Amino acid sequence: MSPRRRRVTTLVLVGVAGAGKSSVMAALQDRLAWPSLEGDSVHPPSNVHKMAAGTPLTDKDREPWLQHIAGWIGEREWHGVSSLVTCSALRRTYRDLLRNGHPSVWFVHLDAPKGALEARMKRRSGHFMPASLLASQLATLEPLEPDEPGWTIDATAPVEDIAETILERLRLP
């Protein structure tokens, strides 16, 4: 499926921890210079504490966080500004919340095998999400459905190649 180029585009990079959402966003940011929101940076302290302790979040934990991100998307749309967002958005209901009333939203699911994700998570430092939560994220993950705007990309490719693929599919420079 090819996206129809909209006047405003909100590109939401989704996937489990370790999929490369932040790295791909940085590569896209270098090319597009769009405002961006790192979803992990707006988690309430209670969510960060739970995850750091190795406790998976519940839907109730996630809802205010997702509402905050959806509000940020809405503000950019209202101002007519395209933007980039990282957000795990593991379930269809989470993605529906993000795009409800936001026609600019386009999802890119960064997908990688469990082994690659585990290796990435073990190598990174300074992040509150422990590798022990990967299994619960993979169990929660619901792939993009055919009626959702977006597509799935192999997250094991080099970051610059992933960014280039996204730009080509969006028909952006």
Side-chain angles (χ1 to χ4, degrees), residues 39 42-44 47 61-69 87-88:
V42 296
H43 265 296
N47 285 6
D61 295 326
R62 287 183 179 101
E63 187 170 350
W65 171 65
L66 292 165
Q67 291 287 358
H68 180 90
I69 294 170
C87 177
S88 54

Side-chain angles (χ1 to χ4, degrees), residues 68-144:
H68 180 90
I69 294 170
W72 189 91
I73 290 169
E75 288 176 21
R76 304 290 93 58
E77 280 184 337
W78 190 84
H79 289 289
V81 176
S82 293
S83 60
L84 301 166
V85 176
T86 64
C87 177
S88 54
L90 300 175
R91 293 182 194 245
R92 168 71 187 251
T93 56
Y94 307 163
R95 296 187 297 269
D96 287 348
L97 190 154
L98 293 176
R99 70 182 177 124
N100 184 27
H102 302 124
S104 71
V105 170
W106 196 265
F107 297 108
V108 177
H109 173 203
L110 299 172
D111 187 40
K114 182 179 179 184
L117 296 165
E118 288 173 331
R120 287 178 181 178
M121 290 182 77
K122 287 177 182 173
R123 283 193 310 264
R124 71 183 184 181
S125 63
H127 197 282
F128 57 81
M129 174 71 84
S132 63
L133 287 180
L134 180 59
S136 72
Q137 285 209 323
L138 289 169
T140 302
L141 178 64
E142 296 172 356
L144 291 177

